């Protein structure tokens, strides 16, 4: 089974070498290796033990990460590669701080979906970094115009509740709070 994934990795490298400015090859290649190959090798009972299967899984996660990062080098304005790299850090590596950085960059790029703007704050929360989470929620609140706050009522409520929770938790003085009441 592992031989098939090495062959797939070779094909991905070939496609990305021939078409480095085509994000789809980087995107699908990184996904195939970091998710599909890494999960498949955990099911490979020809490996003698669980430790070998986990090591093989990590090998493929790292190969997928390399593909995503090389894809970003070749296509730095393609938001999806940044977002997928963030997702890999979040879901496969549980590195929420690094995921926040990649989600932040993705959210700033042209054509990025609006929902990505919340992800850095959420990732800092998962990392347990209350200060960074507060800063991210506050920055998002300050970027929203009054019209956007009214149009995105659900967002407004979510952002406000997170800011209030963190201002309380971090003992932010009332005069420095976004919501002093």
């Amino acid at each position: 089974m592992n031989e098939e994934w090495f062959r797939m990795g070779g094909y991905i490298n070939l496609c990305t070498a021939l078409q480095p400015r085509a994000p789809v090859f980087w995107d699908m290649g990184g996904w195939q290796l970091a998710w599909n190959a890494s999960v498949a090798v955990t099911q490979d009972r020809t490996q003698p033990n669980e430790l070998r299967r986990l090591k093989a899984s990590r090998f493929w996660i790292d190969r997928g990460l390399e593909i995503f990062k090389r894809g970003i080098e070749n296509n730095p304005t393609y938001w999806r590669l940044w977002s997928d790299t963030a997702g890999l850090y979040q879901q496969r590596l549980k590195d929420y701080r690094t995921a926040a950085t990649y989600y932040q960059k993705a959210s700033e790029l042209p054509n990025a979906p609006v929902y990505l703007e919340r992800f850095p704050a959420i990732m800092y929360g998962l990392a347990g970094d209350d200060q960074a989470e507060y800063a991210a929620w506050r920055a998002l609140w300050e970027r929203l115009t009054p019209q956007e706050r009214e149009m995105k009522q659900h967002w407004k409520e979510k952002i406000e509740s997170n800011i209030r929770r963190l201002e309380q938790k971090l003992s932010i003085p009332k005069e420095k709070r976004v919501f002093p009441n």
Side-chain angles (χ1 to χ4, degrees):
M1 178 186 299
N2 218 10
E3 291 173 18
E4 294 170 20
W5 291 113
F6 278 105
R7 189 175 310 121
M8 168 84 68
Y11 292 146
I12 291 167
N13 284 328
L14 178 62
C15 290
T16 56
L18 292 172
Q19 294 288 337
R21 300 279 185 240
V24 67
F25 294 116
W26 299 104
D27 193 21
M28 295 307 295
W31 178 266
Q32 288 295 327
L33 300 181
W35 272 269
N36 295 341
S38 72
V39 170
V41 296
T42 64
Q43 311 300 315
D44 183 3
R45 297 298 170 214
T46 64
Q47 291 291 327
N49 58 48
E50 184 69 17
L51 184 59
R52 290 245 177 120
R53 289 188 287 274
L54 290 174
K55 186 176 178 183
S57 177
R58 182 56 190 251
F59 172 85
W60 290 111
I61 291 170
D62 290 343
R63 297 300 78 74
L65 182 59
E66 288 172 12
I67 294 292
F68 282 139
K69 286 183 173 182
R70 287 184 13 231
I72 288 170
E73 288 173 17
N74 285 282
N75 302 277
T77 61
Y78 186 62
W79 68 267
R80 187 171 190 118
L81 288 170
W82 290 91
S83 178
D84 286 348
T85 305
L88 189 150
Y89 277 109
Q90 174 193 355
Q91 298 166 15
R92 305 294 288 149
L93 299 173
K94 307 296 184 211
D95 182 349
Y96 302 115
R97 288 180 201 281
T98 304
T101 303
Y102 278 89
Y103 278 131
Q104 182 65 46
K105 179 62 178 175
S107 73
E108 296 167 355
L109 292 171
N111 302 315
V114 176
Y115 64 81
L116 286 177
E117 293 177 352
R118 296 175 292 151
F119 284 21
I122 294 167
M123 292 303 105
Y124 287 125
L126 290 172
D129 187 341
D130 294 335
Q131 290 285 352
E133 181 186 7
Y134 176 67
W137 284 122
R138 187 173 179 144
L140 179 55
W141 179 261
E142 290 169 355
R143 273 196 315 272
L144 292 176
T145 66
Q147 295 86 358
E148 288 175 317
R149 291 179 192 154
E150 292 310 312
M151 286 174 26
K152 301 173 182 176
Q153 187 62 33
H154 176 71
W155 274 41
K156 176 185 173 187
E157 293 167 4
K158 188 80 163 165
I159 295 167
E160 183 177 339
S161 71
N162 280 297
I163 290 173
R164 286 182 184 277
R165 173 182 56 83
L166 289 160
E167 286 177 338
Q168 181 73 28
K169 187 175 183 180
L170 296 169
S171 302
I172 305 289
K174 287 199 184 275
E175 64 275 3
K176 293 186 177 187
R177 293 183 179 195
V178 175
F179 305 105
N181 306 350

